[in-house]
Protein backbone atom coordinates (compact mmCIF):
# COMPACT_ATOMS: atom_id res chain seq x y z
CA UNK A 1 0.00 0.00 0.00
CA UNK A 2 0.91 3.62 -0.44
CA UNK A 3 -0.22 5.85 2.43
CA UNK A 4 -0.64 9.58 1.92
CA UNK A 5 -2.12 12.69 3.49
CA UNK A 6 -3.80 15.36 1.40
CA UNK A 7 -5.40 18.77 1.75
CA UNK A 8 -9.06 19.32 1.01
CA UNK A 9 -11.20 22.32 1.91
CA UNK A 10 -8.85 23.49 4.64
CA UNK A 11 -8.48 20.05 6.21
CA UNK A 12 -5.82 17.36 5.97
CA UNK A 13 -7.21 13.89 5.30
CA UNK A 14 -5.73 10.40 5.09
CA UNK A 15 -5.66 8.36 1.92
CA UNK A 16 -4.33 5.17 0.39
CA UNK A 17 -3.15 4.48 -3.14
CA UNK A 18 -3.96 1.07 -4.63
CA UNK A 19 -3.03 0.03 -8.18
CA UNK A 20 -2.53 3.65 -9.18
CA UNK A 21 -5.89 4.86 -7.82
CA UNK A 22 -6.27 7.12 -4.79
CA UNK A 23 -8.87 6.59 -2.09
CA UNK A 24 -9.93 8.52 0.99
CA UNK A 25 -9.75 6.60 4.27
CA UNK A 26 -10.32 9.47 6.69
CA UNK A 27 -13.62 7.97 7.91
CA UNK A 28 -11.59 4.99 9.18
CA UNK A 29 -8.07 6.34 9.87
CA UNK A 30 -7.90 9.70 11.58
CA UNK A 31 -4.17 10.33 11.13
CA UNK A 32 -0.87 8.78 10.11
CA UNK A 33 1.17 9.56 13.22
CA UNK A 34 2.99 7.86 16.08
CA UNK A 35 -0.24 6.46 17.53
CA UNK A 36 -1.25 5.01 14.16
CA UNK A 37 1.94 2.96 13.86
CA UNK A 38 2.12 2.17 17.58
CA UNK A 39 -1.39 0.72 17.56
CA UNK A 40 -0.95 -1.55 14.54
CA UNK A 41 -2.41 0.95 12.11
CA UNK A 42 -1.13 -0.72 8.95
CA UNK A 43 -2.97 -3.95 9.80
CA UNK A 44 -6.12 -1.94 10.56
CA UNK A 45 -5.78 -0.12 7.26
CA UNK A 46 -5.35 -3.43 5.44
CA UNK A 47 -8.61 -4.61 7.00
CA UNK A 48 -10.36 -1.44 5.82
CA UNK A 49 -9.01 -1.93 2.30
CA UNK A 50 -10.09 -5.58 2.29
CA UNK A 51 -13.71 -4.55 2.78
CA UNK A 52 -13.54 -2.69 -0.52
CA UNK A 53 -15.83 0.18 0.48
CA UNK A 54 -13.45 3.08 -0.13
CA UNK A 55 -14.30 6.46 -1.62
CA UNK A 56 -12.25 7.19 -4.73
CA UNK A 57 -10.62 10.62 -4.93
CA UNK A 58 -11.17 12.39 -8.23
CA UNK A 59 -9.13 15.22 -9.71
CA UNK A 60 -5.75 16.57 -8.64
CA UNK A 61 -4.51 15.76 -5.16
CA UNK A 62 -2.82 18.38 -2.94
CA UNK A 63 -0.36 16.13 -1.13
CA UNK A 64 0.79 17.00 2.38
CA UNK A 65 3.66 15.29 4.20
CA UNK A 66 2.61 11.63 4.52
CA UNK A 67 3.19 11.53 8.28
CA UNK A 68 2.02 13.91 10.99
CA UNK A 69 4.36 15.27 13.67
CA UNK A 70 7.05 12.58 13.84
CA UNK A 71 8.95 12.55 17.11
CA UNK A 72 12.35 12.49 15.41
CA UNK A 73 13.93 12.97 12.00
CA UNK A 74 17.30 11.17 12.20
CA UNK A 75 19.74 11.46 9.32
CA UNK A 76 22.78 9.48 8.28
CA UNK A 77 25.58 11.51 6.72
CA UNK A 78 28.13 10.40 4.12
CA UNK A 79 26.41 7.06 3.62
CA UNK A 80 27.17 6.67 -0.09
CA UNK A 81 30.71 5.86 -1.13
CA UNK A 82 30.69 8.19 -4.13
CA UNK A 83 29.23 11.06 -2.08
CA UNK A 84 31.98 10.69 0.52
CA UNK A 85 34.51 10.86 -2.32
CA UNK A 86 33.03 14.03 -3.84
CA UNK A 87 33.00 15.62 -0.38
CA UNK A 88 36.72 14.88 -0.01
CA UNK A 89 36.11 12.80 3.10
CA UNK A 90 37.11 9.29 4.11
CA UNK A 91 34.24 6.81 4.29
CA UNK A 92 33.10 6.78 7.93
CA UNK A 93 33.94 3.86 10.18
CA UNK A 94 30.59 4.22 11.95
CA UNK A 95 27.37 5.89 10.78
CA UNK A 96 27.46 9.70 10.93
CA UNK A 97 24.31 10.70 12.81
CA UNK A 98 22.58 14.07 12.95
CA UNK A 99 19.04 15.38 13.39
CA UNK A 100 16.65 17.59 11.50
CA UNK A 101 14.08 19.46 13.58
CA UNK A 102 10.59 18.00 12.98
CA UNK A 103 9.43 21.58 12.29
CA UNK A 104 11.36 21.39 9.00
CA UNK A 105 8.93 18.75 7.68
CA UNK A 106 6.81 19.81 4.72
CA UNK A 107 4.90 18.35 1.80
CA UNK A 108 6.45 16.95 -1.37
CA UNK A 109 5.17 19.78 -3.59
CA UNK A 110 5.56 22.63 -1.11
CA UNK A 111 8.08 25.42 -1.59
CA UNK A 112 11.68 25.31 -0.41
CA UNK A 113 12.26 28.56 1.45
CA UNK A 114 15.81 29.89 1.34
CA UNK A 115 16.51 31.16 4.88
CA UNK A 116 17.52 34.71 5.72
CA UNK A 117 21.23 35.34 5.11
CA UNK A 118 21.61 32.07 3.20
CA UNK A 119 24.00 31.82 0.26
CA UNK A 120 24.50 28.04 0.19
CA UNK A 121 21.19 26.19 0.21
CA UNK A 122 21.73 22.72 -1.29
CA UNK A 123 19.71 19.65 -2.32
CA UNK A 124 19.98 15.97 -1.28
CA UNK A 125 17.66 13.22 -2.54
CA UNK A 126 17.39 10.46 0.07
CA UNK A 127 15.56 7.25 0.91
CA UNK A 128 13.69 7.68 4.19
CA UNK A 129 12.75 4.75 6.43
CA UNK A 130 9.65 5.04 8.60
CA UNK A 131 9.89 3.20 11.93
CA UNK A 132 6.89 0.98 12.64
CA UNK A 133 7.36 0.10 16.30
CA UNK A 134 9.61 0.93 19.23
CA UNK A 135 13.17 -0.27 18.65
CA UNK A 136 15.75 -0.49 21.40
CA UNK A 137 18.94 -2.58 21.20
CA UNK A 138 17.71 -4.52 18.17
CA UNK A 139 19.97 -6.85 16.22
CA UNK A 140 20.74 -6.43 12.54
CA UNK A 141 19.01 -9.75 11.93
CA UNK A 142 15.75 -8.42 13.40
CA UNK A 143 16.03 -4.79 12.29
CA UNK A 144 13.77 -4.98 9.22
CA UNK A 145 10.90 -6.11 11.46
CA UNK A 146 10.83 -2.52 12.73
CA UNK A 147 10.33 -0.91 9.32
CA UNK A 148 6.82 0.32 8.50
CA UNK A 149 7.71 1.61 5.06
CA UNK A 150 9.74 3.99 2.93
CA UNK A 151 9.42 7.52 1.59
CA UNK A 152 11.14 9.97 -0.72
CA UNK A 153 12.97 12.76 1.14
CA UNK A 154 14.84 15.90 0.08
CA UNK A 155 17.35 16.60 2.87
CA UNK A 156 17.68 20.31 2.05
CA UNK A 157 20.82 21.73 3.63
CA UNK A 158 22.36 25.17 4.17
CA UNK A 159 26.08 24.47 3.85
CA UNK A 160 27.38 27.62 5.55
CA UNK A 161 25.12 27.07 8.54
CA UNK A 162 26.06 23.39 8.55
CA UNK A 163 29.82 23.51 8.05
CA UNK A 164 31.13 27.03 8.64
CA UNK A 165 29.27 28.26 11.72
CA UNK A 166 30.69 25.83 14.29
CA UNK A 167 28.86 23.29 16.40
CA UNK A 168 26.68 20.55 15.00
CA UNK A 169 25.19 20.09 11.53
CA UNK A 170 21.64 20.51 12.83
CA UNK A 171 21.69 24.30 12.22
CA UNK A 172 22.12 23.78 8.49
CA UNK A 173 19.52 21.03 8.32
CA UNK A 174 16.55 22.28 10.29
CA UNK A 175 15.34 25.48 8.64
CA UNK A 176 11.63 25.67 7.86
CA UNK A 177 10.75 23.70 4.69
CA UNK A 178 14.06 21.77 4.70
CA UNK A 179 12.45 18.29 4.90
CA UNK A 180 10.03 17.80 1.98
CA UNK A 181 8.74 14.23 2.38
CA UNK A 182 6.57 12.01 0.23
CA UNK A 183 4.20 11.89 -1.56
CA UNK A 184 3.77 8.44 -0.02
CA UNK A 185 4.80 6.11 2.74
CA UNK A 186 5.14 2.85 0.80
CA UNK A 187 4.80 -0.31 2.86
CA UNK A 188 7.56 -2.93 2.90
CA UNK A 189 5.68 -5.46 0.79
CA UNK A 190 5.82 -3.12 -2.22
CA UNK A 191 9.61 -2.63 -2.02
CA UNK A 192 11.21 -6.09 -2.27
CA UNK A 193 14.79 -4.77 -2.16
CA UNK A 194 15.37 -1.30 -0.65
CA UNK A 195 19.09 -1.79 -1.27
CA UNK A 196 18.65 -1.65 -5.04
CA UNK A 197 16.62 1.49 -5.72
CA UNK A 198 17.47 4.16 -8.25
CA UNK A 199 17.16 7.70 -6.92
CA UNK A 200 17.57 10.93 -8.85
CA UNK A 201 17.24 14.69 -8.57
CA UNK A 202 17.04 17.48 -11.14
CA UNK A 203 17.38 21.25 -10.80
CA UNK A 204 15.67 23.23 -13.56
CA UNK A 205 15.43 20.06 -15.64
CA UNK A 206 19.15 19.23 -15.38
CA UNK A 207 20.03 15.93 -13.69
CA UNK A 208 22.26 16.57 -10.68
CA UNK A 209 21.98 13.26 -8.81
CA UNK A 210 21.51 9.80 -10.27
CA UNK A 211 22.45 7.02 -7.87
CA UNK A 212 21.40 3.71 -6.40
CA UNK A 213 21.00 2.56 -2.80
CA UNK A 214 23.37 -0.31 -3.60
CA UNK A 215 26.12 2.28 -2.95
CA UNK A 216 25.22 2.47 0.76
CA UNK A 217 28.16 2.24 3.14
CA UNK A 218 25.83 1.18 5.96
CA UNK A 219 22.67 -0.68 4.94
CA UNK A 220 19.27 -0.28 6.54
CA UNK A 221 19.55 -3.11 9.12
CA UNK A 222 22.97 -1.80 10.16
CA UNK A 223 21.63 1.74 10.56
CA UNK A 224 18.57 0.70 12.57
CA UNK A 225 20.57 -1.58 14.85
CA UNK A 226 23.25 1.08 15.34
CA UNK A 227 20.82 3.89 16.18
CA UNK A 228 18.89 1.68 18.58
CA UNK A 229 22.00 1.33 20.74
CA UNK A 230 21.97 5.04 21.53
CA UNK A 231 18.26 5.95 21.58
CA UNK A 232 14.86 4.34 21.38
CA UNK A 233 13.45 4.60 17.89
CA UNK A 234 9.77 5.37 18.20
CA UNK A 235 6.84 4.53 15.91
CA UNK A 236 6.65 7.13 13.16
CA UNK A 237 10.27 8.25 13.48
CA UNK A 238 11.91 9.06 10.16
CA UNK A 239 15.42 7.79 9.37
CA UNK A 240 16.92 9.43 6.29
CA UNK A 241 19.65 7.19 4.94
CA UNK A 242 21.99 9.60 3.14
CA UNK A 243 22.41 11.02 -0.35
CA UNK A 244 24.31 9.89 -3.46
CA UNK A 245 26.88 12.01 -5.28
CA UNK A 246 25.85 15.14 -7.15
CA UNK A 247 25.07 17.70 -4.45
CA UNK A 248 25.81 21.35 -5.13
CA UNK A 249 28.57 21.43 -2.52
CA UNK A 250 30.54 18.82 -4.44
CA UNK A 251 30.60 20.69 -7.73
CA UNK A 252 33.59 22.69 -8.90
CA UNK A 253 32.79 25.47 -8.33
CA UNK A 254 29.89 24.73 -5.94
CA UNK A 255 26.36 25.45 -7.17
CA UNK A 256 23.53 26.37 -4.83
CA UNK A 257 19.80 26.95 -5.07
CA UNK A 258 18.39 30.38 -5.82
CA UNK A 259 14.86 31.81 -5.91
CA UNK A 260 12.95 30.60 -8.94
CA UNK A 261 14.77 27.27 -9.21
CA UNK A 262 12.66 24.12 -9.49
CA UNK A 263 13.81 20.88 -7.86
CA UNK A 264 12.39 17.53 -9.02
CA UNK A 265 13.28 14.20 -7.45
CA UNK A 266 12.19 10.59 -7.27
CA UNK A 267 12.97 7.04 -6.13
CA UNK A 268 11.89 3.78 -7.75
CA UNK A 269 8.50 2.75 -6.39
CA UNK A 270 8.16 5.72 -4.04
CA UNK A 271 6.90 8.38 -6.42
CA UNK A 272 8.17 11.79 -7.41
CA UNK A 273 8.19 15.25 -5.86
CA UNK A 274 8.66 18.80 -7.10
CA UNK A 275 9.56 21.91 -5.14
CA UNK A 276 9.90 25.52 -6.23
CA UNK A 277 12.58 27.57 -4.47
CA UNK A 278 11.59 30.93 -3.01
CA UNK A 279 13.33 33.53 -0.85
CA UNK A 280 12.31 34.05 2.75
CA UNK A 281 9.91 36.93 3.12
Amino acid sequence: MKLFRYKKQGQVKTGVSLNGEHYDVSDHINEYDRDFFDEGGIAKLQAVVAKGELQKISGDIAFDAPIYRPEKIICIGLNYRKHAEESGMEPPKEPVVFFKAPSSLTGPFDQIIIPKDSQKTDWEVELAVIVGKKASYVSEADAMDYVAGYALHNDVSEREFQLERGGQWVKGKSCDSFAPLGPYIVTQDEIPDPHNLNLWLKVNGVTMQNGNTSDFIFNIPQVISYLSRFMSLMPGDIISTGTPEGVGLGMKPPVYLKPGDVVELGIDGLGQAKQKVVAHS
Side-chain angles (χ1 to χ4, degrees):
M1 295 185 298
K2 294 181 173 69
L3 287 58
F4 65 91
R5 299 170 67 247
Y6 72 107
K7 306 165 191 173
K8 183 177 181 180
Q9 298 177 343
Q11 294 183 309
V12 178
K13 295 177 173 287
T14 55
V16 62
S17 178
L18 304 167
N19 301 316
E21 301 288 352
H22 295 85
Y23 300 90
D24 183 278
V25 295
S26 58
D27 287 342
H28 309 278
I29 305 294
N30 181 54
E31 194 52 278
Y32 296 139
D33 55 10
R34 173 176 168 173
D35 288 344
F36 170 81
F37 292 104
D38 196 27
E39 296 168 3
I42 289 180
K44 294 178 182 178
L45 181 58
Q46 289 172 330
V48 169
V49 168
K51 292 180 180 179
E53 301 175 353
L54 301 179
Q55 179 182 350
K56 189 174 178 179
I57 303 171
S58 59
D60 294 335
I61 296 175
F63 288 99
D64 205 337
I67 190 166
Y68 180 64
R69 291 188 175 177
E71 186 171 294
K72 298 188 286 296
I73 303 176
I74 313 163
C75 299
I76 307 300
L78 299 174
N79 198 31
Y80 285 73
R81 293 171 181 84
K82 293 178 181 178
H83 177 49
E85 291 172 6
E86 75 172 348
S87 301
M89 301 182 185
E90 290 290 325
K93 300 295 189 294
E94 297 187 29
V96 175
V97 180
F98 62 92
F99 287 84
K100 292 176 85 83
S103 57
S104 66
L105 184 66
T106 188
F109 298 95
D110 292 342
Q111 295 174 334
I112 293 172
I113 302 170
I114 295 180
K116 287 184 179 180
D117 305 317
S118 167
Q119 301 296 322
K120 299 180 179 181
T121 295
D122 204 349
W123 58 83
E124 295 189 14
V125 60
E126 304 201 2
L127 172 67
V129 176
I130 312 302
V131 177
K133 58 183 179 180
K134 183 178 178 180
S136 179
Y137 297 105
V138 303
S139 68
E140 291 181 22
D142 295 334
M144 295 302 287
D145 293 340
Y146 294 81
V147 175
Y150 305 97
L152 171 65
H153 178 221
N154 188 358
D155 176 20
V156 185
S157 308
E158 211 300 338
R159 301 303 190 186
E160 180 186 353
F161 299 176
Q162 176 190 356
L163 301 172
E164 302 174 30
R165 300 289 295 271
Q168 298 181 342
W169 288 6
V170 65
K171 297 194 300 295
K173 298 286 188 171
S174 295
C175 303
D176 291 350
S177 80
F178 269 27
L181 189 77
Y184 307 109
I185 295 172
V186 181
T187 52
Q188 273 212 69
D189 58 294
E190 293 204 12
I191 306 296
D193 186 2
H195 299 104
N196 186 23
L197 297 176
N198 292 313
L199 62 172
W200 57 269
L201 182 144
K202 298 179 181 180
V203 179
N204 301 328
V206 178
T207 298
M208 299 297 187
Q209 295 184 275
N210 187 11
N212 191 285
T213 56
S214 61
D215 195 41
F216 277 155
I217 296 172
F218 303 102
N219 65 29
I220 293 168
Q222 289 171 329
V223 166
I224 291 173
S225 178
Y226 182 84
L227 292 173
S228 75
R229 301 179 202 174
F230 303 104
M231 68 193 83
S232 289
L233 304 175
M234 303 306 294
D237 280 357
I238 299 166
I239 303 171
S240 203
T241 56
T243 198
E245 65 177 330
V247 299
L249 175 67
M251 297 183 179
K252 303 187 187 311
V255 176
Y256 297 111
L257 295 172
K258 59 186 184 301
D261 286 346
V262 175
V263 179
E264 300 170 89
L265 60 155
I267 300 180
D268 288 351
L270 303 185
Q272 300 182 14
K274 183 176 182 179
Q275 296 120 29
K276 184 176 180 180
V277 181
V278 301
H280 183 277
S281 61

